[in-house]
Amino acid sequence: MNRAFDAVIIGGGILGVATAYELARAGMKNVCVLERHYLASGSTGRCGGGFRQQWSTEANTELAMDSVKRLEVLEEELGYRTEFFQGGYLILAHNEEEEKQFAKNVAMQRKLGLDVSIVDADEAVKIVPYLNKEMIRKATWCPKDGHINPFLLTQGYANAARRLGVQINLWTNVVGIMKKSDTFFVMTETGNTYQTPLLFNCAGGFSRSIGQMLNVEIPVDPYRHEILVTEPVERLWDPMVISFSVGLYARQEKSGGMVMGMGDPNEPVGTFVGSSMKFMYEMAQRFTMLFPKLDKLRIVRQWAGLYEMTADAQPILGPVEEVDNFIQASGFSGHGLMLAPAVSQILADMVVNKSRSEVVESLNVKRLYNMKDVVKEKSVV
Amino acid sequence: MKIICRCQDVTEDEIIAAIRQGATTIDEIRRLVRAGMGSCQGRTCRRLVAQIISRELKTPPAEIYPPTFRPPNRPVAFELIMSELKRQELEDGEKK
Ligand SMILES: Cc1cc2nc3c(=O)[nH]c(=O)nc-3n(C[C@H](O)[C@H](O)[C@H](O)COP(=O)(O)OP(=O)(O)OC[C@H]3O[C@@H](n4cnc5c(N)ncnc54)[C@H](O)[C@@H]3O)c2cc1C
Ligand code: FES
């Protein structure tokens, strides 16, 4: 078997697979993805599936807006249904501080051309019924945000990539990397070696360890993030609803189940993704506080995945100084699914057509070494 | 047309189509075509799905990557969790 490729991508999550597809689409002939389990077995297949353009930093907002443009045509381009649905995102402000921050966010987002507005509590309850109105001061609303089935999106990209000649090798665990002159030697657990002049690190919560194989510091910390789904019920609402202060997001799947998750500031760094009772208790309290009338919903399954956090909650993109042609696409800090369509395309364009991208340059890993010019993303659950 | 997952109405053909797209595990079938995502969380259909994978890929059942088991054991309502929390709180109060 020939194991020499024009590009090798480590990680078969949304970033790895979308990047492989975009590279092939941009004309690269010989691309290979290495995934240690199955497709989307990492964070991607465990995620909430939301895509939103309402962010507090310009970089995230721009990337998310480009992604939505891409998602709008992607089902047709890939020839695959993904449950792509622009049901909107409603973000709740519970106090004065949030109201002020959201006003700033919305001004910036509108400047970038996003269709987003501030609504009062009455309107919010019209958009998402059953909300506890007493708790809400204002909300921000973008009708063009929405959600998508992460597993289907990954599979759609993968099928299309394979049609363009991309090789996707599953159950292939990378355990070591060497670089001699211009060639990377990527070694797997079963003793195979892949050769390539161009290597992508799309290993999600494990991207720090891939960096270490080449002595490059990739400051991404994995944290467990838990989530659950209820039994299907009749249509309750279309949007994703988020509250940063209650620390919760919830949306309804196409098939009727309510998917909801929360952030836990006490979660330690680590790659453990077991389920906890604490989460079930905590989620029940938070959800019924915000939706007192929906306490009959029944949980059918909890699960967990990794948030891949950076110090500013923005991704690490592009090349590194120490090793040429070692491209990063990781550290998405809990919002990689929704940035992947744009990021994969920009990175492919960068390596194939030598184009430049200001956003990618602003998100180089360097910023996290010296923490200069770092703006922290505030809108994270 | 043979229904394999009764909770989610998933047919044998749909499961075979998922295997043709590259799925080799019960977890992948669950995520791709929802077989096993119903109220019983695969208790009824898991075995049948495993048999189909084994037959289609000609792998012995023992070599199929095991699915992940997750709580709760059976569906549990938020109101039940809330009353359990209240009961615990009362108990803790009495102890003090
Ligand atoms: C509960 C939860 C909810 C979320 N909700 C959302 C949401 O609503 N919207 C959103 O946009 N994002 C959400 N996210 C974040 C999102 O899931 C991630 O940012 C995104 O999936 C990252 O994709 P990735 O491809 O970089 O990483 P992953 O999907 O983790 O892929 C990395 C892959 O690399 C593989 N790998 C690692 N090491 C090796 C190795 N040595 N050799 C071979 N393969 C290796 C792993 O097996 C894995 O499959 C959520 C995350 C979680 C956990
Ligand atoms: S029969 Fe498949 S989930 Fe119940």
Side-chain angles (χ1 to χ4, degrees), chain A residues 207-225:
Chain A
S207 44
R208 185 192 284 269
S209 65
I210 299 296
Q212 278 164 352
M213 294 179 191
L214 285 161
N215 283 323
V216 177
E217 163 77 354
I218 302 300
V220 172
D221 286 324
Y223 292 88
R224 176 179 65 170
H225 189 91

Side-chain angles (χ1 to χ4, degrees), chain B residues 4-86:
Chain B
I4 299 297
C5 174
R6 269 181 265 157
C7 295
Q8 293 282 337
D9 246 0
V10 186
T11 65
E12 179 161 21
D13 289 350
E14 287 173 290
I15 293 170
I16 293 174
I19 296 170
R20 300 261 154 87
Q21 281 180 59
T24 60
T25 64
I26 296 169
D27 278 340
E28 283 167 285
I29 304 272
R30 180 164 49 77
R31 292 160 168 201
L32 272 175
V33 295
R34 307 191 61 84
M37 271 197 189
S39 315
C40 85
Q41 285 293 301
R43 253 175 290 279
T44 322
C45 60
R46 194 158 45 223
R47 266 209 137 87
L48 298 169
V49 172
Q51 277 167 16
I52 298 171
I53 297 177
S54 158
R55 188 188 70 213
E56 290 296 310
L57 299 177
K58 305 194 171 44
T59 38
E63 274 171 33
I64 295 172
Y65 194 72
T68 327
F69 292 92
R70 293 280 191 180
N73 257 326
R74 37 177 65 87
V76 44
F78 285 127
E79 59 180 358
L80 196 80
I81 301 172
M82 293 308 288
S83 62
E84 167 66 14
L85 279 171
K86 211 166 262 155

Side-chain angles (χ1 to χ4, degrees), chain A residues 345-357:
Chain A
Q345 194 184 22
I346 296 171
L347 289 180
D349 198 35
M350 194 185 85
V351 301
V352 177
N353 303 318
K354 307 276 172 267
S355 70
R356 288 189 56 181
S357 151

Side-chain angles (χ1 to χ4, degrees), chain A residues 80 255 273 275 295 299 302, chain B residues 21 34 41 70-71 76 79:
Chain A
Y80 204 78
S255 56
V273 287
S275 291
D295 64 347
I299 306 170
Q302 300 178 217
Chain B
Q21 281 180 59
R34 307 191 61 84
Q41 285 293 301
R70 293 280 191 180
V76 44
E79 59 180 358

Side-chain angles (χ1 to χ4, degrees), chain A residues 277-291:
Chain A
M277 275 303 264
K278 178 172 170 249
F279 166 71
M280 187 190 269
Y281 283 155
E282 188 75 18
M283 196 74 231
Q285 280 171 297
R286 295 186 192 187
F287 186 76
T288 54
M289 183 163 75
L290 211 49
F291 297 98

Side-chain angles (χ1 to χ4, degrees), chain A residues 22 44 134 146 152 165 176 184 246 252 287 321 327 362 372-373:
Chain A
E22 294 292 353
T44 300
E134 259 88 87
L152 296 179
F184 292 94
V246 178
Q252 189 163 25
F287 186 76
E321 252 164 28
I327 312 294
S362 76
K372 255 202 337 236
D373 306 322

